[in-house]
Amino acid sequence: MTANLRTGSDFARLSRRVSEAGLLDRRPGYYVFRIGLVATLFVSGWIAFFAIGDSWWQLGIAVFQAVMFGQIALLSHDLAHRQVFRTRRPSEIAGRIAGNLGVGMSYGWWMDKHTRHHANPNHEDLDPDVDPDILVWSKEQARASKGLPRFIGRYQAFLFFPLLTLEGLNLHFSGIRAVSKPGIRRRGLEAALLLTHFALYFSALLVVLSPGKALVFFIVHKALWGVYMGSIFAPNHKGMPILSGDTELDFLRKQVLTSRNVRGGRIVDVALGGLNYQIEHHLFPSMPSPHLRRARPIVQGYCEEIGVPYHETGLVESYALALRSLHEAGEPIRLSEGSPAGTFTERR
């Protein structure tokens, strides 16, 4: 008990340092600017869509709106963590507008899933982000896999980015499935907002574009949005330790040891929505995203003081580590079926 209390106090001391630096304070001006900018660009993209008309130049708008959908999803993420508003009600209202109405992703479904992830990151029994529903994340999951995960798991590292082209559709489908049955708060409102989103989206495509162009626009838009979303979250935990069963790790160690930061300048910060500072975000989920960069040296220095490894890589290296981990996790499937078992880096 004494040891647990001592390790548990590590986070309290870090939290005091971060709080004294003012990094847990709200940033209303920043979020007014960011929300206003994203909303303006998003609306401008649709105005350009209607202005261009039935043309193949619309594929440029599809690419642009894939990025905008990602940025709106990142804003919904910040709202869910109460980085923007301190209380639940305005956070939920804005979150549903951004998530359900803006991009067709259920705010309630995603918040439930993401909350469970934050409570137990990279825990193969408790973190929904490492469920072996399509991919396997550990050799134990690979050995127990059947059906689609076993089929894909052989070469899942090579299939990872191609599969991300379906992630946008998966987010839509998961939200629709969630509101079709009891379980999430304000289910009727969420369903109505999702229905409105899809009605407006498909009406715009079919009114402005010919059927063939509308189909191509839809494929390009959803595929690139999926790749963007997956590319935001893939560097953060993939390739870090997978936990299982009961763990004796305290809060600080559980969050730090399973997370990885991604180095980069302001462009990376904007593209990843501040989630490149994943360690700081997991330790302080309600910290406004512009403060995460400033919290990094405090957290990194403190981890060095108490002897906790602090993992940070470049963006390309983070993807390589994630893909290598996926390839290694699928090794038992390849061995059991007589497939070559070379490393991912060797095969590249």
Side-chain angles (χ1 to χ4, degrees):
M1 176 65 74
T2 302
N4 287 338
L5 287 174
R6 185 175 64 253
T7 56
S9 68
D10 287 339
F11 176 71
R13 288 194 290 271
L14 174 61
S15 184
R16 282 195 295 271
R17 294 187 188 183
V18 169
S19 180
E20 288 168 359
L23 300 181
L24 297 179
D25 297 343
R26 292 291 179 271
R27 288 287 302 274
Y30 164 82
Y31 277 109
V32 167
F33 173 78
R34 180 176 165 189
I35 292 171
L37 177 62
V38 171
T40 299
L41 292 174
F42 178 69
V43 172
S44 297
W46 287 117
I47 292 174
F49 173 84
F50 284 102
I52 292 172
D54 189 20
S55 166
W56 287 111
W57 288 107
Q58 293 285 16
L59 295 184
I61 300 298
V63 174
F64 177 78
Q65 290 294 38
V67 176
M68 288 298 99
F69 269 47
Q71 287 294 314
I72 292 172
L74 286 169
L75 277 174
S76 184
H77 168 272
D78 287 11
L79 287 160
H81 281 297
R82 300 190 190 177
Q83 296 178 20
V84 184
F85 303 105
R86 194 175 298 275
T87 57
R88 186 176 70 182
R89 181 172 174 78
S91 299
E92 289 184 345
I93 292 172
R96 289 190 178 101
I97 292 172
N100 295 57
L101 185 60
V103 299
M105 181 180 72
S106 169
Y107 172 84
W109 162 79
W110 181 87
M111 185 173 180
D112 173 71
K113 175 177 178 288
H114 197 62
T115 299
R116 288 185 284 129
H117 159 70
H118 266 264
N120 293 282
N122 265 25
H123 193 294
E124 61 181 356
D125 301 317
L126 302 173
D127 182 357
D129 286 356
V130 291
D131 280 346
D133 50 355
I134 294 180
L135 303 176
V136 293
W137 305 101
S138 68
K139 292 183 177 181
E140 289 72 22
Q141 289 182 349
R143 294 186 184 99
S145 65
K146 298 178 182 179
L148 186 60
R150 188 168 188 86
F151 176 76
I152 292 178
R154 296 178 182 88
Y155 302 110
Q156 59 184 10
F158 302 97
L159 297 173
F160 179 69
F161 281 104
L163 285 171
L164 286 183
T165 60
L166 302 175
E167 179 59 19
L169 296 178
N170 177 55
L171 292 172
H172 291 321
F173 176 75
S174 297
I176 293 170
R177 183 173 55 185
V179 301
S180 67
K181 55 187 178 181
I184 65 174
R185 287 171 49 85
R186 307 298 299 275
R187 183 164 66 105
L189 175 60
E190 292 231 2
L193 291 172
L194 284 177
L195 180 62
T196 302
H197 168 84
F198 292 123
L200 292 173
Y201 180 85
F202 287 114
S203 295
L205 263 59
L206 295 175
V207 167
V208 173
L209 302 177
S210 64
K213 291 187 182 72
L215 178 61
V216 175
F217 183 99
F218 175 82
I219 292 172
V220 171
H221 177 222
K222 298 304 179 184
L224 292 182
W225 179 44
V227 171
Y228 183 29
M229 292 295 290
S231 299
I232 290 171
F233 291 96
N236 301 333
H237 301 282
K238 310 312 178 191
M240 299 304 292
I242 300 287
L243 307 178
S244 62
D246 294 331
T247 175
E248 296 181 358
L249 295 175
D250 67 303
F251 175 79
L252 183 145
R253 287 162 178 80
K254 182 166 60 174
Q255 303 298 336
V256 174
L257 296 178
T258 60
S259 302
R260 176 174 56 243
N261 275 15
V262 176
R263 290 190 297 269
R266 297 293 182 182
I267 293 177
V268 173
D269 288 2
V270 172
L272 301 187
L275 295 182
N276 45 315
Y277 304 105
Q278 189 70 190
I279 295 173
E280 289 72 27
H281 171 61
H282 261 256
L283 288 170
F284 304 99
S286 64
M287 178 183 289
S289 58
H291 285 172
L292 294 170
R293 170 186 281 269
R294 294 170 54 196
R296 174 188 165 276
I298 299 175
V299 174
Q300 186 179 34
Y302 185 75
C303 286
E304 185 176 344
E305 283 181 30
I306 63 176
V308 175
Y310 182 98
H311 298 276
E312 187 175 66
T313 69
L315 183 61
V316 174
E317 185 181 356
S318 72
Y319 291 132
L321 290 171
L323 295 175
R324 190 177 304 131
S325 174
L326 282 170
H327 193 65
E328 291 172 356
E331 183 181 34
I333 301 174
R334 295 191 298 275
L335 290 176
S336 68
E337 299 180 2
S339 300
T343 65
F344 178 74
T345 51
E346 288 172 353
R347 287 180 166 271
R348 281 193 306 169

